[in-house]
Every structure is written in structure tokens, then in C-alpha cells.
Amino acid sequence: MREQLRHLADVGRRPRVHLHVVPRGTVAYPGLNGAFVLATPPDGDDVGYLDNQLQGTIVERTVDVNSLRQIWESVRAEAMPHGATLAAISEAAEQWT
């Protein structure tokens, strides 16, 4: 686990990567409903990807992508800033032997 956390912190220091950890004590928020990804392809409109235990789903309808974007903003509102997240990940890495 230590090496995985160190790797995550290293990746988080790249210029185009921003990590945001939601603190453990945070009460329920929309991001708990499941994993998703937002992506902007080089030659098209934004798309989303939803993942669950059975299958993944690509989301292309603008209204649905906008809903995912709003959920993402709700998650970021609860999360620690990037710098604090990197510090917390680095600290957690040092707790593992």
C-alpha cells in the first residue's frame, strides 16, 4: 500500500493531474452514488462513463453529461484542495510499513 500511495502522490504532481480526496467524516453527498468519468475527446463533445458491478455505460446526451458535471462539482465542493490532498496521501503512505 505504501508504494501505491507514493505512486499516486507522484502522479498527482504532474501538471495536468488534480487529485481531491473527500475527507472520511463527510456526510452523504451525490458522489457516493457510484463511480463515473467525464472526458473531453480531442475531436468531439464531452462524454461520461458510468461504471457498476455488471457493466459500464457511455453517456453522450448533453443533458446527462451536464448532470454528471454538476455531480462532479458537488464532489469537489466536499473534497480537500489539491495540495492538501497530496499531503494527506503522502502522510498516509508513511503510516504503512
Side-chain angles (χ1 to χ4, degrees), residues 2-4 6-8 12-14 16-17 22-23 26 36 43 48 57 60 63 68 71 73 79 83 97:
R2 172 183 251 171
E3 291 307 313
Q4 291 173 343
R6 284 181 175 169
H7 177 71
L8 186 59
R13 290 184 186 92
R14 294 178 183 173
R16 297 183 68 183
V17 176
V22 176
T26 304
F36 65 93
D43 59 345
T57 303
E60 297 179 281
V63 66
L68 288 175
I71 292 168
E73 291 304 321
T97 56

Side-chain angles (χ1 to χ4, degrees), residues 59-95:
V59 176
E60 297 179 281
R61 284 183 20 177
T62 302
V63 66
D64 294 334
V65 172
N66 288 340
S67 291
L68 288 175
R69 191 173 291 110
Q70 288 176 333
I71 292 168
W72 172 243
E73 291 304 321
S74 295
V75 172
R76 286 205 42 201
E78 298 293 338
M80 296 186 295
H82 177 71
T85 292
L86 289 178
I89 291 170
S90 296
E91 181 180 316
E94 298 311 311
Q95 294 176 6

Side-chain angles (χ1 to χ4, degrees), residues 22-71:
V22 176
R24 180 177 291 170
T26 304
V27 296
Y29 60 97
L32 294 174
N33 291 331
F36 65 93
V37 174
L38 288 169
T40 304
D43 59 345
D45 295 328
D46 290 354
V47 295
Y49 177 79
L50 305 175
D51 198 10
N52 64 43
Q53 291 84 2
L54 298 176
Q55 65 184 6
T57 303
I58 295 175
V59 176
E60 297 179 281
R61 284 183 20 177
T62 302
V63 66
D64 294 334
V65 172
N66 288 340
S67 291
L68 288 175
R69 191 173 291 110
Q70 288 176 333
I71 292 168

